Amino acid sequence: VQLQASGGGLVQPGGSLRLSCAASGRIFSIAAMGWYRQAPGNERELVASITSGSNTNYAASVKDRFTISRDNAKNTVCLQMKTLKPEDTAVYYCNALIRPFSYDSTFFNYWGQGTQVTVSS
């Protein structure tokens, strides 16, 4: 199983970016998908998550600015980021809880490679 993230870059304060992540490989089902971020010197933190039933959860610092969505048919998750602030600068990681096999109910936690988001004038 692989998670491929894309969409990071440099944006001015107040701007917008959209991150995308696609899961591929042996996938029977995906439970939660989400985005985490890690700024230099900080621990990795949850930004937003979404269940297979589209229940969402956001960090307080991004609520009302970021929107997470997923396409269950395509095994993708997106993060629309608006009104970006310098403190949003970080490496953003895609995450997914995936059940690879129909005959095994075990879910495994997978991470994407990370994509840099820099908010600066």
Side-chain angles (χ1 to χ4, degrees), residues 25-54:
R26 185 174 291 277
I27 298 171
F28 177 72
S29 66
I30 302 178
M33 302 185 81
W35 291 91
Y36 288 70
R37 66 186 181 188
Q38 187 168 19
N42 291 355
E43 293 187 354
R44 192 173 296 189
E45 63 176 358
L46 174 68
V47 176
S49 65
I50 184 168
T51 67
S52 57
S54 297

Side-chain angles (χ1 to χ4, degrees), residues 56-78:
T56 58
N57 181 45
Y58 294 93
S61 60
V62 307
K63 202 168 183 179
D64 299 327
R65 298 189 297 122
F66 292 8
T67 302
I68 190 170
S69 61
R70 66 186 278 179
D71 185 327
N72 291 328
K74 296 181 179 179
N75 293 332
T76 58
V77 62
C78 293

Side-chain angles (χ1 to χ4, degrees), residues 4-114:
Q4 182 67 45
S6 61
L10 173 64
V11 64
Q12 292 187 343
S16 299
L17 277 177
R18 182 178 177 86
L19 305 182
S20 297
C21 177
S24 61
R26 185 174 291 277
I27 298 171
F28 177 72
S29 66
I30 302 178
M33 302 185 81
W35 291 91
Y36 288 70
R37 66 186 181 188
Q38 187 168 19
N42 291 355
E43 293 187 354
R44 192 173 296 189
E45 63 176 358
L46 174 68
V47 176
S49 65
I50 184 168
T51 67
S52 57
S54 297
N55 292 313
T56 58
N57 181 45
Y58 294 93
S61 60
V62 307
K63 202 168 183 179
D64 299 327
R65 298 189 297 122
F66 292 8
T67 302
I68 190 170
S69 61
R70 66 186 278 179
D71 185 327
N72 291 328
K74 296 181 179 179
N75 293 332
T76 58
V77 62
C78 293
L79 185 68
Q80 179 67 51
M81 304 184 292
K82 298 180 179 179
T83 319
L84 283 159
K85 304 175 181 180
E87 50 264 43
D88 294 317
T89 296
V91 177
Y92 283 69
Y93 295 91
C94 173
N95 174 265
L97 197 61
I98 297 174
R99 175 181 170 183
F101 309 108
S102 60
Y103 55 81
D104 186 341
S105 61
T106 304
F107 283 82
F108 297 91
N109 199 35
Y110 293 93
W111 293 93
Q113 82 282 14

